[in-house]
Amino acid sequence: QKFRDPNSIFLRQENERILMDDILEARNQFILAKIEESAPRYDHVVVPWGAMHMPFLEQKLREKGYHEIQRTDRRAVAFF
């Protein structure tokens, strides 16, 4: 609800970077570590992350030698 309030401190320009660091960058680092941790034990690893995360994750995984062998798009629904 705080994000819907136009006067919220979370929507102030100076706090936007902090918010994006948490929502995007910290979560990217978290899932990347989990993928690396899980990959040796599983044939497939599913990453149910949002579209904004994918460019970073794709780049980092390619840098580590992973490559895409199949892509399946799934429709997702978000409720706010």
Side-chain angles (χ1 to χ4, degrees):
Q1 191 165 2
K2 291 178 183 177
F3 294 105
R4 292 184 184 149
D5 177 2
N7 298 315
S8 171
I9 63 167
F10 295 104
L11 297 179
R12 292 182 187 156
Q13 182 102 24
E14 64 270 16
N15 293 326
E16 184 178 344
R17 184 75 238 152
I18 296 168
L19 181 63
M20 289 308 291
D21 281 347
D22 179 56
I23 290 175
L24 194 59
E25 295 172 22
R27 293 176 191 200
N28 283 347
Q29 295 300 329
F30 174 82
I31 194 62
L32 189 60
K34 289 298 180 182
I35 291 169
E36 292 179 18
E37 176 185 310
S38 300
R41 297 180 301 184
Y42 299 99
D43 292 333
H44 297 89
V45 176
V46 176
V47 181
W49 246 233
M52 286 182 68
H53 298 276
M54 292 302 122
F56 171 85
L57 294 174
E58 181 177 10
Q59 175 189 347
K60 293 301 178 186
L61 291 170
R62 286 184 188 279
E63 288 173 5
K64 293 179 178 299
Y66 290 91
H67 62 278
E68 183 177 316
I69 56 171
Q70 180 181 350
R71 180 179 294 224
T72 304
D73 293 330
R74 301 280 188 225
R75 185 177 302 231
V77 178
F79 297 95
F80 293 94

PDB file of all heavy atoms in Angstrom, residues 60-74:
ATOM      1  N   LYS A  60      24.957 -13.218 -17.076  1.00  0.00           N
ATOM      2  CA  LYS A  60      25.860 -13.825 -16.097  1.00  0.00           C
ATOM      3  C   LYS A  60      25.999 -15.330 -16.316  1.00  0.00           C
ATOM      4  O   LYS A  60      27.094 -15.886 -16.185  1.00  0.00           O
ATOM      5  CB  LYS A  60      25.387 -13.538 -14.667  1.00  0.00           C
ATOM      6  CG  LYS A  60      25.486 -12.082 -14.289  1.00  0.00           C
ATOM      7  CD  LYS A  60      26.923 -11.604 -14.405  1.00  0.00           C
ATOM      8  CE  LYS A  60      27.053 -10.141 -14.073  1.00  0.00           C
ATOM      9  NZ  LYS A  60      28.394  -9.625 -14.318  1.00  0.00           N
ATOM     10  N   LEU A  61      24.913 -16.000 -16.648  1.00  0.00           N
ATOM     11  CA  LEU A  61      24.985 -17.437 -16.890  1.00  0.00           C
ATOM     12  C   LEU A  61      25.770 -17.748 -18.155  1.00  0.00           C
ATOM     13  O   LEU A  61      26.556 -18.696 -18.183  1.00  0.00           O
ATOM     14  CB  LEU A  61      23.583 -18.039 -16.939  1.00  0.00           C
ATOM     15  CG  LEU A  61      22.862 -18.044 -15.595  1.00  0.00           C
ATOM     16  CD1 LEU A  61      21.398 -18.433 -15.769  1.00  0.00           C
ATOM     17  CD2 LEU A  61      23.539 -18.955 -14.583  1.00  0.00           C
ATOM     18  N   ARG A  62      25.612 -16.937 -19.190  1.00  0.00           N
ATOM     19  CA  ARG A  62      26.412 -17.135 -20.411  1.00  0.00           C
ATOM     20  C   ARG A  62      27.901 -16.919 -20.118  1.00  0.00           C
ATOM     21  O   ARG A  62      28.750 -17.651 -20.622  1.00  0.00           O
ATOM     22  CB  ARG A  62      25.947 -16.197 -21.518  1.00  0.00           C
ATOM     23  CG  ARG A  62      24.630 -16.617 -22.130  1.00  0.00           C
ATOM     24  CD  ARG A  62      24.244 -15.713 -23.306  1.00  0.00           C
ATOM     25  NE  ARG A  62      22.909 -15.973 -23.775  1.00  0.00           N
ATOM     26  CZ  ARG A  62      22.566 -16.964 -24.596  1.00  0.00           C
ATOM     27  NH1 ARG A  62      23.491 -17.780 -25.054  1.00  0.00           N
ATOM     28  NH2 ARG A  62      21.316 -17.130 -24.984  1.00  0.00           N
ATOM     29  N   GLU A  63      28.215 -15.923 -19.300  1.00  0.00           N
ATOM     30  CA  GLU A  63      29.609 -15.681 -18.920  1.00  0.00           C
ATOM     31  C   GLU A  63      30.202 -16.885 -18.191  1.00  0.00           C
ATOM     32  O   GLU A  63      31.405 -17.118 -18.240  1.00  0.00           O
ATOM     33  CB  GLU A  63      29.717 -14.441 -18.035  1.00  0.00           C
ATOM     34  CG  GLU A  63      29.498 -13.137 -18.777  1.00  0.00           C
ATOM     35  CD  GLU A  63      29.432 -11.928 -17.859  1.00  0.00           C
ATOM     36  OE1 GLU A  63      29.642 -12.074 -16.626  1.00  0.00           O
ATOM     37  OE2 GLU A  63      29.146 -10.823 -18.367  1.00  0.00           O
ATOM     38  N   LYS A  64      29.356 -17.644 -17.501  1.00  0.00           N
ATOM     39  CA  LYS A  64      29.823 -18.822 -16.764  1.00  0.00           C
ATOM     40  C   LYS A  64      29.832 -20.078 -17.630  1.00  0.00           C
ATOM     41  O   LYS A  64      30.116 -21.161 -17.148  1.00  0.00           O
ATOM     42  CB  LYS A  64      28.951 -19.040 -15.532  1.00  0.00           C
ATOM     43  CG  LYS A  64      29.105 -17.925 -14.505  1.00  0.00           C
ATOM     44  CD  LYS A  64      28.218 -18.166 -13.309  1.00  0.00           C
ATOM     45  CE  LYS A  64      28.420 -17.082 -12.272  1.00  0.00           C
ATOM     46  NZ  LYS A  64      29.771 -17.016 -11.750  1.00  0.00           N
ATOM     47  N   GLY A  65      29.489 -19.931 -18.918  1.00  0.00           N
ATOM     48  CA  GLY A  65      29.557 -21.054 -19.840  1.00  0.00           C
ATOM     49  C   GLY A  65      28.237 -21.766 -20.104  1.00  0.00           C
ATOM     50  O   GLY A  65      28.198 -22.731 -20.859  1.00  0.00           O
ATOM     51  N   TYR A  66      27.163 -21.304 -19.503  1.00  0.00           N
ATOM     52  CA  TYR A  66      25.856 -21.891 -19.787  1.00  0.00           C
ATOM     53  C   TYR A  66      25.381 -21.413 -21.149  1.00  0.00           C
ATOM     54  O   TYR A  66      25.760 -20.340 -21.615  1.00  0.00           O
ATOM     55  CB  TYR A  66      24.826 -21.463 -18.732  1.00  0.00           C
ATOM     56  CG  TYR A  66      25.052 -22.074 -17.373  1.00  0.00           C
ATOM     57  CD1 TYR A  66      25.828 -21.431 -16.424  1.00  0.00           C
ATOM     58  CD2 TYR A  66      24.481 -23.298 -17.045  1.00  0.00           C
ATOM     59  CE1 TYR A  66      26.036 -21.985 -15.171  1.00  0.00           C
ATOM     60  CE2 TYR A  66      24.680 -23.863 -15.791  1.00  0.00           C
ATOM     61  CZ  TYR A  66      25.459 -23.201 -14.861  1.00  0.00           C
ATOM     62  OH  TYR A  66      25.665 -23.753 -13.631  1.00  0.00           O
ATOM     63  N   HIS A  67      24.542 -22.234 -21.784  1.00  0.00           N
ATOM     64  CA  HIS A  67      23.942 -21.832 -23.040  1.00  0.00           C
ATOM     65  C   HIS A  67      22.504 -22.329 -23.095  1.00  0.00           C
ATOM     66  O   HIS A  67      22.153 -23.316 -22.460  1.00  0.00           O
ATOM     67  CB  HIS A  67      24.748 -22.340 -24.234  1.00  0.00           C
ATOM     68  CG  HIS A  67      24.821 -23.829 -24.294  1.00  0.00           C
ATOM     69  ND1 HIS A  67      25.721 -24.558 -23.547  1.00  0.00           N
ATOM     70  CD2 HIS A  67      24.092 -24.729 -24.994  1.00  0.00           C
ATOM     71  CE1 HIS A  67      25.541 -25.841 -23.792  1.00  0.00           C
ATOM     72  NE2 HIS A  67      24.556 -25.979 -24.657  1.00  0.00           N
ATOM     73  N   GLU A  68      21.714 -21.625 -23.853  1.00  0.00           N
ATOM     74  CA  GLU A  68      20.291 -21.952 -23.960  1.00  0.00           C
ATOM     75  C   GLU A  68      20.101 -23.107 -24.927  1.00  0.00           C
ATOM     76  O   GLU A  68      20.622 -23.094 -26.036  1.00  0.00           O
ATOM     77  CB  GLU A  68      19.537 -20.720 -24.465  1.00  0.00           C
ATOM     78  CG  GLU A  68      18.055 -20.914 -24.540  1.00  0.00           C
ATOM     79  CD  GLU A  68      17.344 -19.654 -24.985  1.00  0.00           C
ATOM     80  OE1 GLU A  68      17.676 -18.562 -24.491  1.00  0.00           O
ATOM     81  OE2 GLU A  68      16.467 -19.778 -25.842  1.00  0.00           O
ATOM     82  N   ILE A  69      19.358 -24.104 -24.491  1.00  0.00           N
ATOM     83  CA  ILE A  69      19.027 -25.209 -25.389  1.00  0.00           C
ATOM     84  C   ILE A  69      17.534 -25.252 -25.702  1.00  0.00           C
ATOM     85  O   ILE A  69      17.124 -25.855 -26.681  1.00  0.00           O
ATOM     86  CB  ILE A  69      19.480 -26.575 -24.827  1.00  0.00           C
ATOM     87  CG1 ILE A  69      18.886 -26.823 -23.457  1.00  0.00           C
ATOM     88  CG2 ILE A  69      20.998 -26.664 -24.786  1.00  0.00           C
ATOM     89  CD1 ILE A  69      19.110 -28.232 -22.942  1.00  0.00           C
ATOM     90  N   GLN A  70      16.742 -24.604 -24.872  1.00  0.00           N
ATOM     91  CA  GLN A  70      15.308 -24.542 -25.111  1.00  0.00           C
ATOM     92  C   GLN A  70      14.732 -23.366 -24.334  1.00  0.00           C
ATOM     93  O   GLN A  70      15.186 -23.056 -23.245  1.00  0.00           O
ATOM     94  CB  GLN A  70      14.637 -25.834 -24.632  1.00  0.00           C
ATOM     95  CG  GLN A  70      13.144 -25.867 -24.831  1.00  0.00           C
ATOM     96  CD  GLN A  70      12.535 -27.158 -24.309  1.00  0.00           C
ATOM     97  OE1 GLN A  70      13.248 -28.101 -23.974  1.00  0.00           O
ATOM     98  NE2 GLN A  70      11.240 -27.206 -24.247  1.00  0.00           N
ATOM     99  N   ARG A  71      13.721 -22.750 -24.897  1.00  0.00           N
ATOM    100  CA  ARG A  71      13.057 -21.645 -24.212  1.00  0.00           C
ATOM    101  C   ARG A  71      11.557 -21.901 -24.260  1.00  0.00           C
ATOM    102  O   ARG A  71      11.008 -22.229 -25.295  1.00  0.00           O
ATOM    103  CB  ARG A  71      13.362 -20.321 -24.902  1.00  0.00           C
ATOM    104  CG  ARG A  71      12.692 -19.127 -24.221  1.00  0.00           C
ATOM    105  CD  ARG A  71      13.041 -17.837 -24.907  1.00  0.00           C
ATOM    106  NE  ARG A  71      14.470 -17.570 -24.742  1.00  0.00           N
ATOM    107  CZ  ARG A  71      14.971 -16.394 -24.431  1.00  0.00           C
ATOM    108  NH1 ARG A  71      14.176 -15.358 -24.268  1.00  0.00           N
ATOM    109  NH2 ARG A  71      16.267 -16.234 -24.307  1.00  0.00           N
ATOM    110  N   THR A  72      10.931 -21.744 -23.118  1.00  0.00           N
ATOM    111  CA  THR A  72       9.486 -21.884 -23.027  1.00  0.00           C
ATOM    112  C   THR A  72       8.958 -20.661 -22.313  1.00  0.00           C
ATOM    113  O   THR A  72       9.354 -20.385 -21.179  1.00  0.00           O
ATOM    114  CB  THR A  72       9.093 -23.152 -22.224  1.00  0.00           C
ATOM    115  OG1 THR A  72       9.709 -24.286 -22.845  1.00  0.00           O
ATOM    116  CG2 THR A  72       7.604 -23.329 -22.191  1.00  0.00           C
ATOM    117  N   ASP A  73       8.101 -19.926 -22.979  1.00  0.00           N
ATOM    118  CA  ASP A  73       7.482 -18.761 -22.342  1.00  0.00           C
ATOM    119  C   ASP A  73       6.208 -19.202 -21.642  1.00  0.00           C
ATOM    120  O   ASP A  73       5.448 -20.020 -22.161  1.00  0.00           O
ATOM    121  CB  ASP A  73       7.149 -17.691 -23.379  1.00  0.00           C
ATOM    122  CG  ASP A  73       8.404 -17.072 -23.991  1.00  0.00           C
ATOM    123  OD1 ASP A  73       9.427 -17.010 -23.283  1.00  0.00           O
ATOM    124  OD2 ASP A  73       8.357 -16.655 -25.146  1.00  0.00           O
ATOM    125  N   ARG A  74       6.003 -18.694 -20.460  1.00  0.00           N
ATOM    126  CA  ARG A  74       4.802 -18.991 -19.676  1.00  0.00           C
ATOM    127  C   ARG A  74       4.077 -17.699 -19.387  1.00  0.00           C
ATOM    128  O   ARG A  74       4.703 -16.684 -19.074  1.00  0.00           O
ATOM    129  CB  ARG A  74       5.175 -19.664 -18.352  1.00  0.00           C
ATOM    130  CG  ARG A  74       5.926 -20.943 -18.499  1.00  0.00           C
ATOM    131  CD  ARG A  74       4.983 -22.060 -18.822  1.00  0.00           C
ATOM    132  NE  ARG A  74       5.717 -23.315 -18.777  1.00  0.00           N
ATOM    133  CZ  ARG A  74       5.591 -24.248 -19.704  1.00  0.00           C
ATOM    134  NH1 ARG A  74       4.764 -24.083 -20.710  1.00  0.00           N
ATOM    135  NH2 ARG A  74       6.280 -25.350 -19.629  1.00  0.00           N
TER     136      ARG A  74
END
